[in-house]
């Protein structure tokens, strides 16, 4: 009888250990899931923050007005640059690719939306160098050469791409227009 009691006690202890072991493993699994979920959430937050920091710089195209190198500022009227590949936008605006985009682009500017921007000593400038054989490719120039280039236009000023970081323009690049 004593051996039967010992046997039942041993079996009961083994059974209890198995149950406790199973519960402990289940707790580990339950604890790991939130950690994995937390890890995924942290990764998502990092990616979103990286996208926000990458998107801190904004690129726009438009027309420069009242460029003042002494005050280091200018006015800018952004436009929407639509190319012949923008079929949905062409349809939305009821444009005809043949007549409205004869040079492969269309500038959509329903209203003047002037914004003032600042430049800095590190702002980079690029203009189309018509004297080189590489038409259409912007060449880096100094601030003085950029101002001279802007002043060379009488009635027509070409559009420029600007890259804005915060309140300051970090680069200005002339858009080739045939």
């Amino acid at each position: 009888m004593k051996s039967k009691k010992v046997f039942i006690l041993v079996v009961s202890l083994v059974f209890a250990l198995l149950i406790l072991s199973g519960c402990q493993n289940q707790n580990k699994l339950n604890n790991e899931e939130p950690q994995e979920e937390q890890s995924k959430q942290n990764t998502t937050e990092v990616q979103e923050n990286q996208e926000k920091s990458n998107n801190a710089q904004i690129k726009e195209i438009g027309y420069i007005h009242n460029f003042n190198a002494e005050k280091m500022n200018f006015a800018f009227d952004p436009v929407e640059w639509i190319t012949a590949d923008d079929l949905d936008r062409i349809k939305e605006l009821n444009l005809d690719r043949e007549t409205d985009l004869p040079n492969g682009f269309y500038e959509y500017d329903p209203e003047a939306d002037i914004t003032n921007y600042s430049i800095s000593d590190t702002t980079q400038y690029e203009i189309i160098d018509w004297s080189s054989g590489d038409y259409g490719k912007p060449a880096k120039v100094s601030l003085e050469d950029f101002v001279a280039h802007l002043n060379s236009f009488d009635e027509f000023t070409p559009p420029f791409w600007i890259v804005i970081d915060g309140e300051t323009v970090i680069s200005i690049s002339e858009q080739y227009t045939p």
Side-chain angles (χ1 to χ4, degrees):
M1 180 76 104
K2 187 177 178 181
S3 66
K4 192 174 188 183
K5 285 182 181 178
V6 172
F7 177 75
I8 292 174
L9 183 64
V10 170
V11 169
S12 296
L13 285 174
V14 169
F15 185 73
L17 287 174
L18 287 173
I19 290 174
L20 289 175
S21 175
C23 289
Q24 188 175 15
N25 286 340
Q26 184 63 36
N27 284 340
K28 281 184 182 178
L29 289 175
N30 288 340
N31 288 338
E32 286 175 8
E33 286 179 286
Q35 287 175 352
E36 286 178 24
E37 193 63 37
Q38 184 67 34
S39 176
K40 288 178 187 175
Q41 184 177 0
N42 289 344
T43 301
T44 302
E45 286 177 18
V46 168
Q47 289 171 342
E48 287 173 358
N49 289 337
Q50 286 174 340
E51 288 171 8
K52 285 179 187 174
S53 68
N54 290 343
N55 291 336
Q57 294 182 351
I58 299 168
K59 187 174 182 179
E60 291 185 308
I61 188 168
Y63 290 92
I64 293 175
H65 303 282
N66 304 322
F67 192 91
N68 189 323
E70 291 174 10
K71 292 183 179 178
M72 304 205 50
N73 63 21
F74 64 94
F76 188 75
D77 180 18
V79 298
E80 182 179 354
W81 187 263
I82 300 168
T83 65
D85 296 334
D86 297 329
L87 300 177
D88 291 338
R89 193 65 176 133
I90 290 169
K91 185 177 178 179
E92 287 173 18
L93 295 173
N94 293 322
L95 299 174
D96 181 86
R97 287 177 67 182
E98 300 301 318
T99 58
D100 294 320
L101 288 83
N103 292 321
F105 67 92
Y106 180 84
E107 296 172 24
Y108 180 65
D109 189 16
E111 61 186 62
D113 186 22
I114 305 295
T115 304
N116 293 312
Y117 288 110
S118 299
I119 57 172
S120 72
D121 292 334
T122 59
T123 301
Q124 296 180 6
Y125 306 92
E126 294 180 334
I127 61 172
I128 303 297
D129 182 6
W130 294 102
S131 63
S132 77
D134 200 3
Y135 295 119
K137 185 176 180 187
K140 288 186 180 186
V141 295
S142 67
L143 172 60
E144 293 76 22
D145 289 340
F146 180 75
V147 170
H149 182 70
L150 278 179
N151 292 336
S152 71
F153 297 101
D154 290 329
E155 294 180 26
F156 168 78
T157 303
F160 288 87
W161 288 96
I162 63 171
V163 177
I164 310 146
D165 191 2
E167 304 259 332
T168 305
V169 173
I170 59 174
S171 70
I172 301 175
S173 182
E174 182 179 355
Q175 170 64 47
Y176 171 76
T177 52

